[in-house]
């Protein structure tokens, strides 16, 4: 959402870039388990195949059915197989304790050189222990089975599930990663477990890291992009005549001097100079002095606390502005938009919706309310309601190119997900109308490029990204998207990486570029470099939720390095 995590210029509808499926050649990257989803084909294997004990019915009779003389004629492996067969019968009858006894006997009888048979007996006993929820014993027996047969999928997956029950997330992730690779990413149960554990690990690490992180000011490009998403925001307006002493300029080009001794006006001057690091302290002076611009100072301080990822400090200021009924209604509405966006980042959709609705109630002619609420509705998959909000924004601000472009994209996504060719055609024509009407709106070209990419009209999409770069040459995210297009369109890895590297050169705080680079390096098999890229993105994350996602990607890459070391297993690479 724009107000707590500014809309990056090329991320479309305001949906965070990690929410969008990112197609790079054949692999499909999706959600926190992105690094695992290497195939578009559905996973068809059933988990029930791994719940039962292993080993086909042996021609050797069950031990209990043998007469003593026949038993003496059997070799040790045949005796072990007979004990296993009897254990399988007990298992299917739900008599797990007796099954365990039989599998234990099979293990003791089996010759040590018969590794495959012995690994099966350990795995079968682990299956019985699993039914008794004896998780430590499951792990011990599966470990024995894997030591004897390192690529034993059933044992690895059963151990992964037991490790999850024991809250050993790292160990669980390594095992399920090995399973996913061995199964060619075709088993839904394995991938769902991987995704679940990655998300849990990511949340745990992000919670600790985010709490102790050093606030980091985003790049000037990012900040300017953020404020450009508002058209009715008092605090982002330039200093007015009378607030600055233009007549005091001694030299041509020298910065204007603020006439009043006001921390807030000084902060506004620093904004014009792009000296963003001093804004919070100047606003604090205004607040402590209870100056003329106290409400404005509170809102500006809260805004920059949101920009540096300090929501805990931003919220009290936003609360205070919202409660100041005597203050300018546009200030209060803007504070509600920003608090609502903050709540959405914290996955508190109900509180977010309440704030946007309140903003619409107190300032119904404020176009920003409908623009940003439209973005919220898209995040909540309420596309029709989003379109209504964009329509109201456009009614109030017919010159709002951004709202018109985002409305087009919302209509396109609805048509695309609904597989409606006529609606898709209408939406594509809508993009053409927007860029014709607003030829200087980079967002219009960018969103059109995303739709064209969906339609596999890669050449035209590339042209649209070129238009974006021409209009905004310092917009790093445009280069990232253009780089991804080269990978999907021409499988030109060198060109793609060159463009993403260019994005980092333009803005070394572009977390999207580092995340994308890391994802590509995983698919190239360069896991150490991928982990480095993800760690850089983590340090730049603007919300705890985004940081959790990045940790998930990093942990997935790290698990693959461990699996490669232990089992010599690697997924296919680009």
């Amino acid at each position: 959402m724009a107000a707590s995590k500014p809309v990056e210029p090329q991320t479309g509808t305001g949906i965070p870039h990690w929410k969008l499926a990112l197609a790079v050649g054949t692999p499909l990257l999706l959600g926190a388990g992105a690094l695992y989803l290497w195939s578009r084909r559905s996973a068809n294997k059933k988990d029930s195949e791994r719940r039962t004990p292993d080993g086909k019915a042996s021609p050797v009779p069950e031990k209990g059915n043998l007469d003593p003389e026949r038993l003496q004629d059997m070799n040790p492996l045949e005796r072990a197989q007979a004990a296993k067969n009897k254990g399988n019968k007990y298992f299917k009858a739900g008599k797990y304790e007796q099954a365990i006894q039989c599998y234990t006997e099979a293990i003791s009888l089996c010759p040590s050189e018969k590794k495959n048979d012995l690994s099966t007996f350990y795995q079968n006993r682990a299956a019985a222990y699993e039914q008794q929820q004896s998780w430590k014993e499951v792990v011990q027996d599966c470990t024995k089975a894997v030591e004897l047969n390192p690529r034993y999928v059933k044992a690895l997956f059963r151990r992964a599930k037991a490790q999850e029950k024991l809250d050993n997330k790292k160990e669980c992730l390594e095992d399920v990663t090995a399973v996913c690779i061995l199964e060619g990413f075709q088993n839904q149960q394995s991938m769902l477990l991987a995704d679940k554990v990655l998300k849990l690990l990511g949340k745990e690490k992000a919670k600790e890291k985010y709490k102790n992180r050093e606030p980091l000011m985003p790049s000037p490009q990012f900040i300017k992009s953020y404020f450009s998403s508002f058209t009715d925001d008092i605090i982002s307006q330039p200093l007015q005549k009378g607030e600055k002493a233009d007549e005091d300029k001694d030299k041509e080009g020298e910065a204007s001097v603020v006439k009043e001794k006001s921390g807030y006006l000084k902060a506004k001057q620093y904004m014009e100079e792009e000296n963003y690091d001093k804004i919070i302290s100047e606003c604090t002076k205004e607040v402590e002095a209870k100056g003329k611009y106290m409400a404005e100072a509170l809102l500006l301080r809260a805004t920059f606390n949101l920009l540096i990822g300090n929501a805990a400090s931003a919220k009290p200021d936003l609360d205070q502005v919202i409660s100041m009924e005597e203050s300018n209604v546009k200030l209060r509405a803007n504070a509600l938009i920003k608090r609502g966006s903050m709540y959405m980042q914290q996955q508190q959709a109900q509180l977010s919706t309440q704030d946007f609705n309140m903003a619409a109630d107190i300032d119904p002619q404020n176009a920003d309310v409908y623009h940003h609420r439209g973005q919220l509705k898209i995040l909540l998959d309420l596309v029709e309601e989003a379109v209504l909000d964009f329509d109201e924004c456009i009614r109030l601000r017919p010159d709002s190119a951004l709202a018109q472009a985002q409305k087009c994209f919302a209509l396109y996504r609805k048509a695309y997900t609904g597989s409606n060719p006529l609606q898709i055609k209408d939406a594509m024509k809508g993009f053409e109308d927007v860029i014709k009407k607003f030829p200087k709106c980079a967002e219009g070209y960018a969103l059109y490029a995303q739709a064209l990419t969906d339609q596999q009209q890669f050449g035209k999409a590339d042209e649209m990204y070129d238009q974006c770069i021409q209009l905004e040459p310092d917009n790093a995210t445009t280069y990232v998207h253009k780089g991804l297009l080269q990978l999907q369109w021409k499988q030109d890895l060198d060109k793609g990486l060159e463009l993403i590297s260019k994005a980092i050169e333009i803005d070394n705080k572009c977390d999207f570029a580092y995340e994308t680079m890391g994802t590509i390096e995983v698919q190239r098999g360069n896991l150490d470099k991928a982990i480095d890229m993800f760690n850089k993105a983590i340090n730049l994350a603007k919300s705890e939720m985004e940081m959790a996602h990045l940790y998930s990607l990093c942990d997935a890459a790290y698990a693959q390095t461990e699996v490669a070391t232990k089992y010599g297993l690697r997924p296919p690479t680009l």
Side-chain angles (χ1 to χ4, degrees), residues 202-217:
K203 285 180 181 178
E204 282 183 5
K205 292 184 177 181
K207 185 175 183 180
E208 185 63 26
K209 170 86 172 180
Y210 200 77
K211 182 172 62 178
N212 299 313
R213 71 190 281 273
E214 287 293 326
L216 180 67
M217 190 66 67

Side-chain angles (χ1 to χ4, degrees), residues 357-400:
N357 292 346
M358 189 186 303
D361 288 340
I362 68 169
D363 194 8
Q365 301 303 307
N366 190 327
D368 288 342
V369 174
Y370 304 101
H371 180 190
H372 289 267
R373 189 170 69 178
Q375 294 181 349
L376 167 70
K377 297 297 186 183
I378 289 174
L379 283 170
L380 297 175
D381 292 324
L382 302 172
V383 179
E384 291 182 5
E385 292 183 28
V387 170
L388 291 175
D389 273 336
F390 288 136
D391 279 337
E392 184 62 14
C393 175
I394 293 164
R395 185 187 71 79
L396 293 167
R397 291 269 179 158
D399 60 343
S400 176

Side-chain angles (χ1 to χ4, degrees), residues 132 220 247 272 278 391 464 484 487 549 563:
Q132 295 182 326
E247 65 275 16
E272 291 185 12
K278 294 184 179 180
D391 279 337
M464 295 301 105
L484 289 170
L487 293 172
H549 161 71
V563 167

Side-chain angles (χ1 to χ4, degrees), residues 29 61 80 130 217 232 280 301 332 370 429 500 566 568 573:
L29 311 184
E130 182 181 54
M217 190 66 67
D232 225 348
I280 290 176
R301 184 171 70 176
R332 295 176 62 215
Y370 304 101
K429 183 181 181 303
I500 297 167
K566 288 182 179 179
T573 58

Side-chain angles (χ1 to χ4, degrees), residues 38-290:
W38 285 79
S39 174
R40 294 180 185 270
R41 291 173 293 172
S42 60
N44 295 318
K45 290 184 181 179
K46 295 181 179 179
D47 186 51
S48 59
E49 295 174 13
R50 294 186 293 205
R51 292 185 183 277
T52 54
D54 266 351
K56 295 180 180 178
S58 170
V60 179
E62 294 170 12
K63 186 178 176 186
N65 297 332
L66 294 174
D67 57 60
E69 186 176 334
R70 174 75 177 91
L71 190 61
Q72 287 180 351
D73 292 338
M74 294 172 65
N75 63 41
L77 179 58
E78 288 173 332
R79 292 184 187 181
Q81 291 283 6
K84 180 262 296 179
N85 288 347
K86 188 175 181 182
N88 286 356
K89 185 176 180 181
Y90 279 129
F91 186 99
K92 289 173 184 177
K95 298 179 179 180
Y96 302 117
E97 193 59 48
Q98 291 94 320
I100 288 168
Q101 292 173 6
C102 290
Y103 295 140
T104 301
E105 185 176 0
I107 290 166
S108 66
L109 290 169
C110 185
S112 59
E113 67 272 12
K114 299 294 182 179
K115 292 185 178 181
N116 283 341
D117 295 288
L118 194 53
S119 67
T120 297
F121 303 153
Y122 275 113
Q123 198 283 144
N124 284 8
R125 190 169 72 176
Y129 279 131
E130 182 181 54
Q131 295 299 319
Q132 295 182 326
Q133 299 185 13
S134 300
W135 308 118
K136 289 183 179 179
E137 286 77 8
V138 174
V139 170
Q140 289 170 0
D141 274 1
C142 285
T143 298
K144 287 285 190 182
V146 171
E147 287 173 355
L148 293 161
N149 180 3
R151 301 195 174 196
Y152 197 166
V153 170
K154 262 193 177 181
L156 284 164
F157 188 67
R158 181 157 279 120
R159 187 170 69 178
K161 292 188 293 182
Q163 296 286 21
E164 182 198 10
K165 295 292 185 181
L166 293 169
D167 201 33
N168 298 330
K169 298 182 186 67
K170 179 178 177 291
E171 292 80 3
C172 171
L173 181 60
E174 288 178 15
D175 280 345
V176 79
T177 297
V179 171
C180 286
I181 295 171
L182 286 167
E183 292 177 331
F185 307 92
Q186 292 299 294
N187 192 300
Q188 187 180 22
Q189 293 296 325
S190 307
M191 294 200 294
L192 285 174
L193 178 58
D195 189 70
K196 178 183 177 182
V197 177
L198 280 169
K199 287 176 179 175
L200 289 171
L201 276 170
K203 285 180 181 178
E204 282 183 5
K205 292 184 177 181
K207 185 175 183 180
E208 185 63 26
K209 170 86 172 180
Y210 200 77
K211 182 172 62 178
N212 299 313
R213 71 190 281 273
E214 287 293 326
L216 180 67
M217 190 66 67
S219 66
Q221 300 96 314
F222 189 88
I223 293 171
K224 282 186 266 187
S225 171
Y226 169 75
F227 281 111
S228 72
S229 68
F230 294 93
T231 58
D232 225 348
D233 181 7
I234 293 172
I235 63 168
S236 64
Q237 301 304 313
L239 285 166
Q240 301 297 309
K241 190 173 182 180
E243 294 176 337
K244 58 186 178 181
D246 291 332
E247 65 275 16
D248 290 341
K249 290 193 291 183
D250 295 324
K251 298 177 183 178
E252 187 66 28
E254 184 178 327
S256 302
V257 178
V258 173
K259 290 178 71 175
E260 298 183 43
K261 288 186 177 180
S262 162
Y264 170 70
L265 293 180
K266 188 68 175 175
K268 290 285 292 289
Q269 182 178 330
Y270 283 137
M271 276 188 70
E272 291 185 12
E273 298 169 0
E274 298 183 15
N275 194 351
Y276 300 120
D277 289 324
K278 294 184 179 180
I279 288 174
I280 290 176
S281 61
E282 289 299 332
C283 288
T284 299
K285 292 176 185 177
E286 184 81 17
V287 172
E288 290 176 348
K290 296 184 178 179

Side-chain angles (χ1 to χ4, degrees), residues 21-30 33-40 523:
L22 182 62
V24 183
T26 300
L28 178 68
L29 311 184
L30 182 65
L35 305 185
Y36 291 104
L37 307 190
W38 285 79
S39 174
R40 294 180 185 270
Q523 296 192 37

